[in-house]
Every structure is written in structure tokens, then in C-alpha cells.
Amino acid sequence: MTTLQVMFFFFSLITVAGGLYTVIARNLFHAALGLIVSLAGVAALYALLEASFLAAAQVAIYIGAIAILIIFAVMLTRGVTGKNPVKDWWTYTITAIVCLLLLVVLLTTLFRFDWPQTAQAAVPADSIARLGKSLVDPSLYVLPFEVASVLLVAALIGSAYIARDKK
Amino acid sequence: MNVINDPFTWAGNLIAQWLSGFMPPVGVDVTMMVLRAGVLGVFALVMFMVMTWIERKGIARIQDRIGPNVAGPFGLLQPIADGVKALTKEDITPTNADRMVYNTAPILSAAAAMLVFAVIPFGPGLIGADINIGIFYILAVGGLGIIAILMAGWSSNNKYALLGAFRVVAQLVSYEVPHVLSIAAVVMLAGSMSMITIVEKQPVWFILVLPVSAIIVLLSGMAEIGRSPFDLLDAESEIIAGHHIEYSGMKFALFFLGEYVHAYAVSCMVAVLFLGGWSGPNIFGLTVPYLWFFIKSILVFNVMVWARGTLPRLRIDHLMAFNWKFLVPLSLANLVVVAAADRLAQAVGFAVGTWPWALVMLAFNLAMIAVALAMVGATGRRARRATESRAMPEAETHEEEAHGVDAERAPVAVGAH
Amino acid sequence: MLQDFAFIGIFLLVAGALGVLPLVLAWMVRPAKPNPIKSSTYECGVETFGDAWVQFKVQYYVYALVFVVFDIETIFLFPWAVAYHQLPLFAVLEMVLFIFILAGALVYAWRKGDLEWV
């Protein structure tokens, strides 16, 4: 068992434990904190893969922006203290069935996928520069790049409209 | 290598040699990393003490008084006295506080501030970890500090703490936008995010090449830390310390520590990005890069103390308007103008990093500052004229009323305008 | 590169330990005499009333939202900035277009009054 494998299992454990706590916690704020732990675990996994920019982007965007947004959204609800849990057994049953179906789909996909067995090429030293170049290269990703900006504007306009006080 | 040139690497090599006498290479590596991390952490704590002393003495002198001078000569032992006081104060945990979150918040706040020092280059080889995403890593750990504030506000079981935490997070999150956009301009010109590469690409310091970015990074850095003039939300006379109302003793001291360590970290970052990092002339033929870095970071911190002592606090709506309506458009325009100026200078034939190129960039930046100030001035003049024209008809009606009443009430009417 | 990240992981642990150490020290040294009056929630010197749940203004959410959009913009901006010196002119123009589109979003939010502090 190499050090890398040990680290991988450790961070996977953190990710899964964080995710588990997110769905089990009664208190919504604790659930948000569990989500943050899970996201941090994913960032550590990216770092293990030497995808340094992605790891930092994960922490900066998910933990530094989206988790804060989630916490703000959670504060808007009254159920944040966890004093009113769902008591309806029908809801629990439907949820369990849907989750089981999702589990079956994910497991079949995972086991049927052709995972590469040999070591991949090493990450090049100028990976971030290459990423930057591919974002604006006409034959590569420039169209998704510009469409992404339009998508962001659409998201901003939509959410701002929903959140606005209608006078 | 010379001992004076780089005592830290020399000492590190000595210790590594001694350790490899009885440890496998992996053990030596891990021990050296732990040692380096320990030295950086202790350095951050020691600098916290130095910063609090500089701040108290500096603010005192600006306010025409002496500042602490009882504990030790020139009050140099004052931070230690403060530390002892924080240790011995009783720690009052409010009832119904969320214990786990309540205790973790100050530790996370202090740790997030200290994490920045892992990528600060004190000299050519003196860096904790020269990762290729250096400056972006600093932005990432800023997010952890924000989470710590939310945790503190939530777990105190106090609606003022919660309200204070929301407002502080809204301010911090808003000022992160121009901060990141202006740092992107520096990354653009340096061609890398690694801190050591950014320093090496500064034969001409970036403060002369990108003054607008430097000013925006310093201002938004000050707002990110929550210092005056942006400290409406956790100042003592306002919402009574905001998210750390319910913290006392050492936990409050950890928040305080986090704030000052963050302030020094921002000063170091500005020194690396804009003031050329460790570059400086030789003293008596010795290269002392760490000394120059130290001088530059303390200089930037002094500018922050100066701003705190001189400027009045900004009101919250002014603060937000300043950010979203001035700094963010300015930093977006800054990116476009810097790209245009750089391409223009290269088209004319000046190579990147030379003095003629720097002068072209400086000219464009100064033009941007002039245009921005002119626009703000024009908007201000328009607003003032609008309020004046609204006030004028009211003054005339006041005068008519004053003439129509008895002498008893006249002084009151006269005093009204 | 993995060594550098290992250092950062170790530094995180050391920073956490340096934060916990003063707390442990203080716990050993300080007095501990809690009583219900001292431990009650602070509310400017008067008795507390109501839950610790405040009317959360939606304005905070809007600021966080605009921040998320601009944060994602910077994620696209940084790799481009790293590759800037190796890019031809039209690549720079593509990024300028990107910035203009997002500046348009900012102008929209500004004109609709979403950026006012309520």
C-alpha cells in the first residue's frame, strides 16, 4: 500500500463521511458544514491527482462562494434549527426508493466502465497555460467559453429577478 | 552559501544532515516539513505581536498621544501582557450555544489566516511550498475565513451576532470581486500564478506598471480584513463587535490574532505582487533578500495603520456602493486597458519588463485614474446640484412662513435654515 | 508538486495545533465560575426576547449571488491570464468579449437596483 493509496482512502473517507453527515444531520446549518467538509475532501482528491488549479478552484468556488450561498439560503427557511422534522412515513418510503434506484444506476455505470489499467502520462508542467490556451483556441473550447458567459448572465438575471422585492 | 545571505537554508541543511544520520529519507523529509511549518507558524504569531505594537503606537502618534509605554521599554512587552491577560480571562460560553461549532470557529479563523504564509516567498528559495497556483491558493483560503465568521455568528445563539455575521460576510464577499480581478491583471503580466515567478518577473516593480491594480488590491485587501475605514460591522461602537459578541478570553484573542495575521498576510502579498518581493540593493556587499521583504511588508502595513488613523468609517451603503459601482467596473476596465496597453507597447517594439514598456503602461494607468476620478466627480456634482435645486424652493417657503409669525418663533425659523 | 501539497496539508495541521495550543493553555489557567446570569445571551444589557432567529434580508443573498457569478468569471480569467503572453490578439479580444458580457450583467443588476443596500 503506497502512501498515495493511503492518502486516497483517507480523503475519500472524509468526503463520504461529510456527505453522510450532510444528509443525516437534523440541524440544517450542521448539514451545510458537513457539505463543506465533503467539498474539502474532494479538493484534496484533486490535489492528489496533481490537478492543482482544479483543487484551488474547488475550494474558492464551492467552499468560498457556493457554500456561503447555501448557508444564506438555509437561513431564509424557518426549519433551520431542526425542530420540525418530517414525520410522514410515505415521504421516507418514496425517498428510499428513489435513492435505491440511483444507487443501482451508479453502480452499474461504475462496474461497466472501461477503467484504464496502465499509468497515465504525467501532468505537464505548464498545464494551466495549456488550459488557458485551449479556452480561447478557435478549434477547441472557445464556443463553450463564450456560451458559459451568457449562461452566467442568464443565471444572474433569473436569480436576481426571483430574489427581488416586487413592488 | 553564505550564512548571512540565507541563514534559514543553511540552518535547515545542517538539521537535515543531522537527522539523516538516524532516520530514513522519508522521515527526514516529513520532519523537515513539520519544522518548516512550525517555523512559519511561530513567525506568524511573532509578527502578530509586532503588528499589534506597531498599530497601537502608530495610531497613538497619529492621535497625538504616546500609546502604551508601561510594559517594557517603549511598550515593547505590551503584546505579551495582552496575551497573558487573554489567557487568564474567564471564558463565558452562552447558554444554548452550539458547542462544537462555537469552539471550532476561532481556531478556523486563526488557521485560515496563517495558511496564507505557506506560499509567501521571503527570499529566492525561502518559501514554504512553491506551488504553481500560488496566488490563487491565497484566494482559496480566504473563503475558509469567511466560513469561520458564519460559524461564529450562528453558534453564538445571539441574534445580534447572527446579524453582524451576515453583514460582515456580505461585505467580505463583495470586496473579494475587485480584489481577485486586480490580481488577475498582475498574473496576466507575470504569466504565472507562482509567487516566486511573479517576483522574478519584476525588474520594474509592478506598482509602477499597474498602479490602479495596486490601489484596488490594497483597498479591497483592507476591506477584506475588516479594518478601518471599512470596519463598520465589527467596531465596538457599532453593532458591538458583531459576530464575536459572545466570545471572551482566549477565543476572542484568537479572532483578534486572525485579523492581525490576515492584515500582515495581505501586506506580504502586496509586497510580493507590487513591490518586487525580496529584491533590493546589497548592503555592504551582502545580499539580504529577507530583510528587504520584511521592510517592504512592514511599510505596507504602516500604510494600513495610517489609513486607519486618518480616515473616518464608511457607512454600510456607501461601502457597498463604493465596491459595486466604482471598484468593480474600474477593475473590469483595468483588465481591458492593461491588455490593450501591453499589446500596444509590444506592437511598438518594447519588450515586456523593460523601462519604456513600463512607462507606456504607467501612462495608460494614469489616464484611467484621471477618467475614473472625473466620472466620479461629475456624478457627485450632478447629485449635489440636484439636491441644491430641491432645497432652494423649500428655503423660500421657510422665509415666507417666518415673516408671517410672531417674533417669538422667528429665531426658530431662522435657525432652521 | 505532491510534496508541496503535502507541505500544505502539514501546515494546516500545524496551524490548527497552534490555534488549539493557546486554548488548552487558557483552559488550564483561567477561572471557571459560570452562573446563569453571566451565561445569558448579550442583548445590549436588557433581557432577551424572542428566538435567536432574525428576519433575514434577501439583499444578503443577492450580494452572495453576484459574487458567485463574478467568482466563476475569475476561474475562467486566471488560466487565460497565465497563458496571456503566448496568445495572439484575437484570443485577447475573445476574453474582452467575455468581460463585456459580464459587465453587461453588472449593469443590469445596477440599473434594476439590486445592488442597493436596503
Side-chain angles (χ1 to χ4, degrees):
Chain A
M1 188 82 103
T2 65
T3 327
L4 212 57
Q5 282 178 318
V6 170
M7 293 269 84
F8 170 73
F9 280 122
F10 175 64
F11 287 123
S12 314
L13 200 66
I14 290 183
T15 311
V16 170
L20 208 61
Y21 187 62
T22 309
V23 297
I24 289 181
R26 290 274 163 179
N27 191 334
L28 272 178
F29 189 78
H30 286 176
L33 290 179
L35 183 66
I36 289 174
V37 168
S38 186
L39 294 169
V42 174
L45 287 173
Y46 283 145
L48 274 182
L49 286 170
E50 298 195 23
S52 47
F53 181 70
L54 207 52
Q58 171 87 2
V59 177
I61 299 274
Y62 265 110
I63 299 182
I66 294 184
I68 293 177
L69 201 63
I70 288 179
I71 291 177
F72 275 3
V74 153
M75 296 295 182
L76 279 168
T77 69
R78 256 236 129 136
V80 72
T81 43
K83 295 208 187 87
N84 320 315
V86 175
K87 294 197 190 68
D88 191 1
W89 69 270
W90 186 235
T91 315
Y92 281 130
T93 320
I94 299 269
T95 318
I97 294 177
V98 170
C99 289
L100 215 61
L101 282 174
L102 187 62
L103 181 69
V104 166
V105 167
L106 282 175
L107 282 177
T108 39
T109 321
L110 280 174
F111 280 116
R112 286 213 186 149
F113 186 77
D114 209 4
W115 298 105
Q117 299 293 327
T118 55
Q120 302 293 300
V123 175
D126 61 343
S127 54
I128 303 179
R130 284 168 160 223
L131 177 62
K133 274 189 273 202
S134 68
L135 273 179
V136 285
D137 193 334
S139 60
L140 284 174
Y141 298 110
V142 71
L143 192 58
F145 173 62
E146 300 293 345
V147 169
S149 71
V150 177
L151 185 66
L152 284 170
V153 173
L156 179 65
I157 293 180
S159 322
Y161 177 75
I162 292 176
R164 202 172 295 152
D165 285 331
K166 319 264 186 308
K167 297 212 178 56
Chain B
M1 82 200 63
N2 203 340
V3 177
I4 303 186
N5 187 13
D6 202 349
F8 309 102
T9 318
W10 172 82
N13 284 346
L14 272 185
I15 298 180
Q17 271 175 345
W18 172 69
L19 279 177
S20 56
F22 55 86
M23 256 199 233
V26 172
V28 173
D29 277 339
V30 171
T31 318
M32 287 310 291
M33 279 204 260
V34 171
L35 208 63
R36 272 205 333 255
V39 166
L40 274 175
V42 167
F43 173 73
L45 292 180
V46 168
M47 288 316 286
F48 157 68
M49 294 185 162
V50 174
M51 292 302 129
T52 50
W53 180 83
I54 293 179
E55 166 118 19
R56 288 181 73 165
K57 281 297 211 179
I59 299 261
R61 288 292 174 173
I62 292 176
Q63 293 172 348
D64 205 16
R65 54 185 174 89
I66 302 182
N69 61 350
V70 174
F74 300 109
L76 282 170
L77 296 180
Q78 182 67 36
I80 300 182
D82 284 335
V84 172
K85 176 193 78 171
L87 271 180
T88 54
K89 286 263 190 221
E90 178 175 350
D91 192 354
I92 305 172
T93 308
T95 48
N96 301 333
D98 202 337
R99 289 274 161 162
M100 185 71 177
V101 178
Y102 182 80
N103 289 334
T104 322
I107 302 174
L108 186 61
S109 174
M114 277 201 270
L115 273 178
V116 175
F117 283 100
V119 296
I120 302 275
F122 298 98
L126 294 174
I127 189 173
D130 184 20
I131 48 180
N132 61 345
I133 46 156
I135 195 74
F136 198 52
Y137 163 85
I138 296 185
L139 300 171
V141 297
L144 290 177
I146 300 183
I147 297 283
I149 293 178
L150 276 175
M151 284 165 71
W154 162 260
S155 62
S156 300
N157 194 36
N158 182 338
K159 43 172 143 356
Y160 293 108
L162 199 56
L163 201 58
F166 289 155
R167 293 167 70 154
V168 168
V169 169
Q171 175 192 326
L172 292 189
V173 132
S174 303
Y175 273 91
E176 185 118 0
V177 179
H179 195 71
V180 175
L181 287 174
S182 302
I183 290 177
V186 173
V187 171
M188 216 162 80
L189 292 185
S192 164
M193 291 194 267
S194 152
M195 300 287 260
I196 291 197
T197 316
I198 292 179
V199 173
E200 285 170 357
K201 289 274 168 61
Q202 288 189 50
V204 179
W205 291 358
F206 279 159
I207 195 168
L208 295 170
V209 176
L210 294 170
V212 175
S213 294
I215 295 172
I216 296 180
V217 167
L218 192 61
L219 279 179
S220 42
M222 272 166 38
E224 287 268 308
I225 306 163
R227 278 178 75 85
S228 235
F230 302 101
D231 69 348
L232 184 76
L233 303 167
D234 57 7
E236 293 85 36
S237 56
E238 304 291 340
I239 198 170
I240 316 166
H243 58 282
H244 37 77
I245 294 176
E246 296 285 359
Y247 284 91
S248 51
M250 204 61 204
K251 299 201 179 106
F252 177 76
L254 276 179
F255 272 116
F256 197 64
L257 190 148
E259 181 182 322
Y260 277 91
V261 170
H262 196 180
Y264 185 59
V266 168
S267 314
C268 287
M269 193 178 80
V270 170
V272 165
L273 288 178
F274 296 106
L275 292 177
W278 65 72
S279 58
N282 295 346
I283 304 181
F284 306 117
L286 297 166
T287 46
V288 276
Y290 49 91
L291 187 66
W292 284 115
F293 179 81
F294 190 69
I295 291 176
K296 285 176 200 175
S297 56
I298 299 277
L299 199 70
V300 177
F301 185 74
N302 279 345
V303 170
M304 288 191 187
V305 170
W306 186 9
R308 177 178 177 173
T310 341
L311 298 172
R313 209 165 268 156
L314 285 182
R315 218 172 61 188
I316 181 78
D317 54 341
H318 290 165
L319 214 127
M320 291 306 202
F322 179 62
N323 177 56
W324 290 111
K325 300 185 184 173
F326 183 64
L327 283 185
V328 172
L330 184 62
S331 40
L332 286 173
N334 175 47
L335 275 171
V336 176
V337 167
V338 163
D342 177 61
R343 292 285 151 151
L344 195 70
Q346 284 183 9
V348 173
F350 301 140
V352 173
T354 56
W355 277 101
W357 170 81
L359 286 174
V360 170
M361 302 290 289
L362 184 63
F364 270 83
N365 270 288
L366 291 175
M368 216 180 356
I369 294 178
V371 166
L373 289 178
M375 284 176 74
V376 171
T379 320
R381 257 189 305 259
R382 237 195 339 238
R384 242 173 306 158
R385 244 178 267 134
T387 47
E388 271 165 22
S389 60
R390 268 208 311 270
M392 291 278 277
E394 285 175 5
E396 288 165 8
T397 40
H398 273 307
E399 294 232 349
E400 287 165 16
E401 283 173 10
H403 288 318
V405 299
D406 7 316
E408 221 174 297
R409 284 177 54 185
V412 177
V414 164
H417 57 181
Chain C
M1 208 196 301
L2 282 180
Q3 274 230 317
D4 293 328
F5 280 111
F7 177 78
I8 290 181
I10 290 181
F11 194 56
L12 180 61
L13 293 173
V14 169
L18 278 176
V20 169
L21 193 66
L23 284 183
V24 167
L25 220 60
W27 174 74
M28 292 193 289
V29 169
R30 67 172 183 242
K33 297 180 173 53
N35 64 51
I37 308 260
K38 261 202 287 197
S39 306
S40 62
T41 317
Y42 179 69
E43 199 154 322
C44 305
V46 298
E47 296 294 317
T48 59
F49 49 91
D51 252 337
W53 183 81
V54 291
Q55 181 55 52
F56 180 80
K57 282 203 296 261
V58 125
Q59 194 57 40
Y60 302 128
Y61 187 81
V62 173
Y63 283 132
L65 196 70
V66 183
F67 167 63
V68 169
V69 170
F70 276 95
D71 214 13
I72 300 179
E73 174 186 350
T74 60
I75 292 294
F76 284 114
L77 206 57
F78 268 83
W80 171 84
V82 171
Y84 172 73
H85 282 299
Q86 303 153 33
L87 289 174
L89 185 62
F90 70 84
V92 178
L93 289 176
E94 282 163 8
M95 179 51 83
V96 170
L97 176 66
F98 184 80
I99 291 177
F100 270 155
I101 295 178
L102 279 157
L106 181 71
V107 169
Y108 169 82
W110 185 339
R111 294 297 293 270
K112 287 289 182 177
D114 288 326
L115 301 173
E116 300 294 325
W117 182 270
V118 170

